[in-house]
Amino acid sequence: MEEMEEELKCPVCGSFYREPIILPCSHNLCQACARNILVQTPESESPQSRRASGSAVSDYDYLDLDKMSLYSEADSGYGSYGGFASAPTTPCQKSPNGVRVFPPAAPPPPAALAPPPRSACLTCPQCHRSLGLDERGLRGFPRNRLLEAVIDRYQQGKAAALRCQLCEKAPKEAAVMCEQCDVFYCDPCRLRCHPPRGPLAKHRLVPPAQGRVSRRLSPRKISTCTDHELENHSMYCVQCKSPVCYQCLEEGKHSSHEVKALGAMWKLHKSQLSQALNGLSDRAKEAKEFLVQLRNMVQQIQENSVEFEACLVAQCDALIDALNRRKAQLLSRVNKEHEHKLKVVRDQISHCTVKLRQTTGLMEYCLEVIKENDPSGFLQISDALIRRVHLTEDQWGKGTLTPRMTTDFDLNLDNAPLLQSIHQLDFVQMKVPAPPILQLEECCTHNNSATLSWKQPPLSTVQVEGYILELDDGNGGQFREVYVGKETMCTVDGLHFNSTYSARVKAFNKTGVSPYSKTLVLQTSEVAWFSFDPASAHADIIFSNDNLTVTCNSYDDRVVLGKTGFSKGLHYWELSIDRYDNHPDPAFGVARVDVLKDAMLGKDDKAWAMYVDNNRSWFMHNNSHTNRTEGGITKGATVGVLLDLTRRTLTFSINEDQQGPVAFENLEGLFFPAVSLNRNVQVTLHTGLPVPEFYTSRSAMQ
């Protein structure tokens, strides 16, 4: 019931409706609020006159019109006029719902200053439609007594616990209610005032809650006509969609309108409203279930967020631990380099110190020798001393005075890739994709081709890198991949005719592969519909009639193939001879896709054909001519080609009669319909034909 409260409040004052009236736009207003927002306009600017003149003034003109709003104290809604030029601007107030409300207008000006005649105009605060008032004013709008009754029941339902209505002082809580007396009693008052004897014994006492409900369901009040206040509503005007009285029908504006019984229309509209409510109830039920789903999602999101945050912290901590371990390893290398440099320098210091001590001793010794005055003694050792001095000097000159180690550390930490990786550190999808959904409305088959389309589920946010489409062999065999890529639509050609294929698709990303979609069953055409293929034909071939008719601009034989190849099933097509001049030898049959295009069909081992003139025919394969048969072709003749890949045979006919024996046997592989002709011949292809009778009867005999 609490959800209904907004329906019961006025959009102007924000309180429960008091004496609500129904506007023509079907919205409601308190009668007092309607007076407060009433606008009066010059007659030429009223909504009726604007509509009559065809002016394109918007309903939103009320924003300007309400500056001239006047207050009416009369029930009719009319008030006095205020001055335009000299009157100060009337300050406006705002209701709780934001609708501007103007206080009463100033006293009327002198007659000489009176503005031109005006008509009252009311703007609905909900839909902003401008609504004109007639001479009755606000009384022309019907009173919404039904809304008043609903508000009354609603307020009673929200009241506190029901109290006894006969207690003189503090009323006690009611124990029962008498439906006939329509009074609530506590137990003492019931025993005292409503004893179960005499006429009161027949009264029905019910619990207070049930009594409250019965009060709400009390008989409806009969509403009176707004135009004829002494008359009750008795009929319903279908055209005006409003209840009317019999006097309205006799002398009012409804006299020529279609009317129906009020009770019948009441029941009909109640039934329509109930049916509409059933649909709305289903939507409300779905909305409630959806809200439950959303609330569950909120809880799940919170739980997943905590779990994901903990996982993220753990991953970052693992990265920090790995960085700290690497930091310790690098510091260890720096310390080793430091110790090595110190050792080398200290060893060099020790070596130089010893050498310098020896050199200094030698120098002091030589100086003392020089001081001696004994020539013979000096000469005995001078040569040796000179050699020692030179040798010692040479020893100092061989890089001894160059440091063996630099003070710089020849190490440079290459942290740029790591910093780049840290800057690029971001979230990636850690889940496999959801199964794709095959779009059945876009999947179809044509001849022996199948087109499939799919998409990801609407709420899936997992990144997809590609899709894998699989088909079986058309005979219930194993699936095989026919497409891998990013597209969501694929056409598969070269399937068998009159076969049932099963298709499925799955998605993949770096994390893995999704489950398969639902399997879709496709049926290829029972018979082949095709035309000649300009892409693979010789350049001298001339096409017309949507590539169904061909001829040639050369005197030499040129080959043209059909667009569809066959590797399975029974297939029959015909070629009608549209033009046949000078007795040429056109050839008809089947061929591989790489057959020679500039020679008669059957000259190489890529074609199996029958070539025919006006008298006889021959079968030819790999330039081998066999089975000469009487009977040729003329203009208007029909040549039939029957390829039975179940029995692996090729048979020909002319004018629906078999031409010779079975032409070729043991055929296997992929074959395309083929024709070779020159400029003297023009043929038209006919496809999608049933198997001829001569072959059907022969198959039945076998």
Side-chain angles (χ1 to χ4, degrees):
M1 293 287 287
E2 294 181 359
E3 289 84 352
M4 185 180 65
E5 186 166 316
E6 291 301 319
E7 294 284 335
L8 309 180
K9 290 185 178 180
C10 175
V12 176
C13 63
S15 302
F16 287 108
Y17 286 105
R18 294 183 296 275
E19 299 182 353
I21 58 175
I22 306 175
L23 304 181
C25 59
S26 300
H27 294 125
N28 298 282
L29 275 180
C30 298
Q31 192 169 28
C33 295
R35 291 195 190 99
N36 290 340
I37 64 174
L38 189 66
V39 176
Q40 296 198 14
T41 61
E43 185 68 28
S44 60
E45 296 182 8
S46 66
Q48 293 88 342
S49 62
R50 284 202 301 268
R51 286 193 289 269
S53 63
S55 174
V57 178
S58 169
D59 286 340
Y60 290 92
D61 291 344
Y62 81 95
L63 293 175
D64 296 326
L65 294 175
D66 65 1
K67 295 178 181 178
M68 299 183 295
S69 176
L70 297 173
Y71 182 83
S72 173
E73 294 181 355
D75 289 342
S76 64
Y78 286 98
S80 302
Y81 300 114
F84 284 97
S86 60
T89 303
T90 304
C92 66
Q93 301 174 352
K94 283 192 175 182
S95 73
N97 290 41
V99 177
R100 286 182 286 179
V101 180
F102 289 81
L113 299 178
R118 297 177 148 212
S119 62
C121 176
L122 182 67
T123 299
C124 175
Q126 290 183 273
C127 65
H128 308 303
R129 284 181 55 186
S130 295
L131 310 170
L133 278 70
D134 57 18
E135 65 279 359
R136 295 173 299 170
L138 293 178
R139 289 182 178 176
F141 297 137
R143 181 91 166 263
N144 195 341
R145 302 184 184 279
L146 190 65
L147 178 58
E148 288 183 285
V150 173
I151 293 173
D152 183 52
R153 292 201 303 269
Y154 179 78
Q155 290 177 328
Q156 288 181 12
K158 292 192 66 176
L162 294 173
R163 301 291 176 178
C164 177
Q165 295 177 282
L166 298 181
C167 291
E168 295 182 356
K169 294 185 178 180
K172 298 180 181 179
E173 185 174 348
V176 294
M177 174 197 172
C178 177
E179 289 186 339
Q180 284 70 30
C181 301
D182 194 19
V183 176
F184 289 95
Y185 298 94
C186 63
D187 285 333
C189 291
R190 177 180 61 83
L191 295 174
R192 184 177 70 254
C193 303
H194 200 288
R197 60 181 180 272
L200 299 180
K202 297 181 180 180
H203 287 196
R204 184 167 179 262
L205 302 178
V206 296
Q210 184 177 346
R212 173 186 287 173
V213 173
S214 64
R215 269 193 175 182
R216 295 178 190 171
L217 300 179
S218 58
R220 64 181 184 274
K221 299 178 181 178
I222 300 177
S223 60
T224 58
C225 179
T226 55
D227 295 331
H228 311 93
E229 297 182 355
L230 299 179
E231 300 293 336
N232 296 331
H233 287 140
S234 58
M235 302 296 288
Y236 180 82
C237 178
V238 177
Q239 182 174 340
C240 299
K241 297 183 178 180
S242 63
V244 294
C245 67
Y246 84 95
Q247 196 169 346
C248 292
L249 301 179
E250 294 293 332
E251 57 190 37
K253 62 180 180 180
H254 305 278
S255 58
S256 60
H257 294 176
E258 178 187 1
V259 295
K260 292 187 178 181
L262 186 66
M265 293 303 296
W266 176 47
K267 293 180 180 179
L268 176 62
H269 282 213
K270 271 196 171 185
S271 175
Q272 293 175 350
L273 180 59
S274 298
Q275 292 177 0
L277 281 176
N278 289 335
L280 185 60
S281 176
D282 293 339
R283 300 288 84 79
K285 182 178 179 182
E286 293 175 1
K288 289 181 180 179
E289 294 174 353
F290 181 65
L291 284 174
V292 172
Q293 179 184 352
L294 291 180
R295 292 189 180 98
N296 293 337
M297 287 179 63
V298 170
Q299 180 65 25
Q300 190 64 39
I301 289 173
Q302 292 175 344
E303 295 176 358
N304 292 344
S305 174
V306 173
E307 180 182 353
F308 186 76
E309 183 178 346
C311 180
L312 176 63
V313 171
Q315 289 176 321
C316 291
D317 289 343
L319 291 176
I320 294 172
D321 292 342
L323 186 61
N324 286 332
R325 288 193 298 270
R326 189 59 181 167
K327 172 185 174 182
Q329 294 173 357
L330 294 176
L331 286 175
S332 177
R333 287 183 56 184
V334 171
N335 290 333
K336 289 181 180 179
E337 183 69 15
H338 168 248
E339 295 296 333
H340 174 67
K341 285 181 175 290
L342 289 179
K343 183 176 182 303
V344 171
V345 173
R346 286 169 179 169
D347 289 345
Q348 191 173 14
I349 290 174
S350 176
H351 176 73
C352 289
T353 300
V354 173
K355 192 67 178 176
L356 181 59
R357 186 184 305 113
Q358 293 174 350
T359 301
T360 302
L362 178 60
M363 290 172 58
E364 292 177 354
Y365 174 67
C366 290
L367 290 174
E368 292 299 327
V369 169
I370 291 173
K371 292 178 182 179
E372 294 295 330
N373 295 324
D374 183 3
S376 59
F378 178 81
L379 293 174
Q380 287 179 347
I381 63 173
S382 60
D383 290 336
L385 288 176
I386 292 172
R387 286 196 300 274
R388 286 184 61 191
V389 169
H390 286 302
L391 180 61
T392 303
E393 183 182 1
D394 292 341
Q395 290 176 349
W396 284 108
K398 294 181 180 179
T400 308
L401 300 180
T402 301
R404 299 177 185 173
M405 185 62 65
T406 63
T407 58
D408 296 332
F409 283 77
D410 298 330
L411 297 174
N412 187 19
L413 182 62
D414 185 14
N415 62 346
L418 180 58
L419 289 175
Q420 183 178 2
S421 298
I422 292 175
H423 292 152
Q424 294 177 347
L425 189 63
D426 202 350
F427 298 107
V428 296
Q429 300 295 343
M430 300 301 295
K431 297 180 180 179
V432 299
I437 299 175
L438 285 167
Q439 302 190 84
L440 303 182
E441 65 278 5
E442 298 184 15
C443 297
C444 62
T445 59
H446 176 70
N447 270 347
N448 62 336
S449 298
T451 298
L452 295 107
S453 177
W454 58 88
K455 63 179 181 180
Q456 280 298 109
L459 298 180
S460 176
T461 59
V462 179
Q463 183 179 1
V464 176
E465 295 184 1
Y467 301 91
I468 301 173
L469 176 63
E470 296 182 358
L471 263 70
D472 66 358
D473 60 359
N475 197 27
Q478 292 184 346
F479 283 88
R480 67 187 190 281
E481 293 182 2
V482 295
Y483 171 76
V484 178
K486 295 182 178 181
E487 300 297 328
T488 58
M489 179 176 287
C490 177
T491 298
V492 183
D493 298 319
L495 303 177
H496 300 310
F497 284 91
N498 196 21
S499 299
T500 302
Y501 287 87
S502 296
R504 63 188 185 185
V505 65
K506 58 184 178 181
F508 65 88
N509 58 15
K510 293 180 180 179
T511 306
V513 181
S514 76
Y516 285 106
S517 67
K518 293 183 178 179
T519 300
L520 177 64
V521 178
L522 302 165
Q523 175 70 44
T524 55
S525 300
E526 294 185 9
V527 294
W529 299 85
F530 59 92
S531 61
F532 289 114
D533 184 16
S536 62
H538 192 278
D540 293 337
I541 296 294
I542 301 173
F543 294 86
S544 61
N545 189 24
D546 293 331
N547 299 333
L548 292 174
T549 301
V550 293
T551 185
C552 183
N553 60 13
S554 173
Y555 286 105
D556 296 324
D557 289 311
R558 301 295 186 234
V559 173
V560 58
L561 301 179
K563 277 190 173 182
T564 302
F566 306 107
S567 60
K568 179 183 177 183
L570 179 62
H571 309 282
Y572 177 72
W573 62 95
E574 291 180 349
L575 299 112
S576 59
I577 310 301
D578 303 331
R579 182 167 50 82
Y580 186 76
D581 302 329
N582 302 324
H583 310 301
D585 300 320
F588 310 91
V590 296
R592 307 290 191 193
V593 70
D594 55 348
V595 66
L596 291 175
K597 305 298 193 310
D598 55 359
M600 178 184 285
L601 195 67
K603 285 288 186 180
D604 61 0
D605 62 349
K606 307 291 185 182
W608 295 257
M610 176 188 74
Y611 69 93
V612 59
D613 59 16
N614 60 322
N615 292 319
R616 61 193 65 83
S617 66
W618 292 264
F619 302 147
M620 183 166 62
H621 170 64
N622 200 15
N623 205 24
S624 174
H625 307 253
T626 61
N627 296 100
R628 171 178 166 171
T629 305
E630 295 299 323
I633 60 173
T634 60
K635 179 181 177 181
T638 300
V639 177
V641 182
L642 196 150
L643 178 63
D644 188 347
L645 291 173
T646 303
R647 298 178 178 176
R648 301 163 60 189
T649 61
L650 180 64
T651 307
F652 296 96
S653 65
I654 296 179
N655 297 328
E656 299 184 357
D657 293 326
Q658 183 172 340
Q659 184 73 1
V662 174
F664 301 100
E665 297 179 337
N666 300 320
L667 298 178
E668 188 174 1
L670 180 63
F671 301 93
F672 289 85
V675 176
S676 67
L677 45 72
N678 61 18
R679 65 184 304 166
N680 293 315
V681 182
Q682 176 176 302
V683 300
T684 296
L685 177 65
H686 305 275
T687 62
L689 304 175
V691 177
E693 292 184 4
F694 74 84
Y695 194 79
T696 305
S697 59
R698 190 184 71 182
S699 301
M701 292 176 61
Q702 293 178 352

